[in-house]
Amino acid sequence: MHDLEYDAELLYVSALLHDLGLTAPFDSHTLPFEEAGGHVARVLTAGLGWPAARRARAQEVIVLHMRDDVSAAEDVESHLLQVGTSADVSGLRVTEFDPSFIAGLLAAHPRGGFGASFLALVEDQAKRKPECAAAAYVAGGAATRIAANPLDRFGRQG
């Protein structure tokens, strides 16, 4: 879309693992979910044989996806993960994607109540970890943005 050069494997693995810290087996009672997920990514990528610096990058990409906007010039993989997760969760920038791409994506991967499930997980994090990024996200109107996600209505207008 914007001809960005990025490490496809790093982005793919980071995208696969970025929310593991929201799930019961990988939730940390002390760390925000993105930091817990980053630690899981570091361990799992060690098992893939990634060198220490590459493992640290996977962890960093996962942590940064919940921070303030990271530009593509600063860190292209973190930026792309932010764009993708923001589109998925809140519908942010969805209008920048080709409607046929969205239709194909949703046909292959129906949302199946994703928004409500995700909101429950981040609200739980916010309640238990009031200083975490999830708490700021919830306090900043996450429920309203998630409920308004156009991906959940795509193809049903008309």
Side-chain angles (χ1 to χ4, degrees):
M1 181 163 134
H2 296 286
D3 295 322
L4 297 173
E5 291 186 27
Y6 61 95
D7 181 328
E9 181 184 44
L10 175 64
L11 178 59
Y12 178 76
V13 170
S14 298
L16 282 175
L17 304 176
H18 78 278
D19 279 345
L20 275 182
L22 285 172
T23 66
F26 299 103
D27 189 9
S28 168
H29 69 283
T30 59
L31 294 175
F33 80 90
E34 69 277 12
E35 291 181 28
H39 287 292
V40 172
R42 186 183 281 260
V43 170
L44 291 177
T45 55
L48 295 174
W50 286 17
R54 188 164 175 76
R55 294 191 310 260
R57 273 294 292 140
Q59 181 176 11
E60 178 181 42
V61 169
I62 290 168
V63 169
L64 289 177
H65 97 279
M66 281 298 291
R67 300 299 186 258
D68 290 334
D69 187 46
V70 176
S71 72
E74 287 176 87
D75 182 338
V76 69
E77 291 84 13
S78 295
H79 173 74
L80 290 171
L81 187 57
Q82 283 179 333
V83 169
T85 58
S86 295
D88 189 28
V89 173
S90 304
L92 188 65
R93 300 175 68 174
V94 165
T95 58
E96 295 177 29
F97 294 91
D98 185 299
S100 65
F101 168 77
I102 294 171
L105 179 68
L106 294 175
H109 306 284
R111 296 190 49 84
F114 167 76
S117 296
F118 183 80
L119 181 61
L121 291 169
V122 294
E123 285 178 336
D124 176 64
Q125 290 280 313
K127 182 177 174 182
R128 293 184 295 114
K129 305 169 194 177
E131 301 301 317
C132 72
Y137 175 64
V138 169
T144 300
R145 289 193 306 278
I146 290 171
N149 189 335
L151 291 176
D152 292 324
R153 294 181 306 283
F154 190 86
R156 289 186 284 169
Q157 297 108 340

